[in-house]
Amino acid sequence: MKKLNNCGFFIKIKSTNLKEIVALSNKILLFLKESKSLFKGPVNIPKKKTIFNILKSPHKDKDSRDQFGYCIYKKIFIIKKIYKCFFIKMLKTFSISSDIEIEITN
C-alpha cells in the first residue's frame, strides 16, 4: 500500500533581503490560516553567506584587499491540502519585489 505523501506541494522563498521574506511569509501564513488548509511552516533554512575578496592593486601590495559579501535567506512552506491553482492565483495578487524568488514544487 502506497503512502499519500505526494498529495501536497512545497513553496520555497529565497532572497537577500530578510525583511521582504518575513513580510511575504506573514502574508502567506495569514492566507493559509484563513483558507483553513493543512500546512507546516514557515520553516527557516540556515542562511548561506558568500564572501569574496578583491585585490586593490593588481601589481603590488598583495595584502591590500577589499572584502564583500551577501547572505541568502530561505523559508519553506509545506502545504498538504489546498488547490494549487487557487494558491498560485493568490500569489499573483501580492506585491512581490524582483529580489524574491518563489519556487513551487511537488
Side-chain angles (χ1 to χ4, degrees), residues 14-15 17 20-21 24 94-102:
K14 183 167 105 172
S15 177
N17 191 346
E20 291 179 357
I21 284 187
L24 182 62
F94 290 158
S95 60
I96 300 172
S97 70
S98 61
D99 187 36
I100 293 179
E101 294 179 24
I102 299 176

Side-chain angles (χ1 to χ4, degrees), residues 15-44:
S15 177
T16 56
N17 191 346
L18 183 61
K19 290 181 182 179
E20 291 179 357
I21 284 187
V22 170
L24 182 62
S25 65
N26 287 339
K27 288 179 186 178
I28 292 173
L29 188 66
L30 183 66
F31 173 77
L32 291 173
K33 285 182 180 178
E34 287 177 354
S35 65
K36 298 179 182 177
S37 61
L38 297 175
F39 67 95
K40 291 182 183 178
V43 177
N44 294 325

Side-chain angles (χ1 to χ4, degrees), residues 21-94:
I21 284 187
V22 170
L24 182 62
S25 65
N26 287 339
K27 288 179 186 178
I28 292 173
L29 188 66
L30 183 66
F31 173 77
L32 291 173
K33 285 182 180 178
E34 287 177 354
S35 65
K36 298 179 182 177
S37 61
L38 297 175
F39 67 95
K40 291 182 183 178
V43 177
N44 294 325
I45 296 178
K47 64 182 177 182
K48 181 180 179 185
K49 194 171 188 180
T50 304
I51 297 174
F52 52 95
N53 296 320
I54 297 177
L55 291 173
K56 287 184 178 180
S57 173
H59 301 293
K60 61 178 185 173
D61 296 328
K62 295 292 181 181
D63 295 333
S64 177
R65 298 174 185 206
D66 282 335
Q67 277 192 342
F68 298 100
Y70 61 92
C71 294
I72 297 176
Y73 302 96
K74 297 178 189 176
K75 288 193 179 212
I76 289 182
F77 284 91
I78 303 166
I79 300 175
K80 298 281 184 180
K81 187 178 177 185
I82 195 171
Y83 290 112
K84 191 174 181 179
C85 59
F86 177 66
F87 186 77
I88 292 173
K89 286 181 183 178
M90 181 273 311
L91 275 179
K92 289 181 180 179
T93 61
F94 290 158

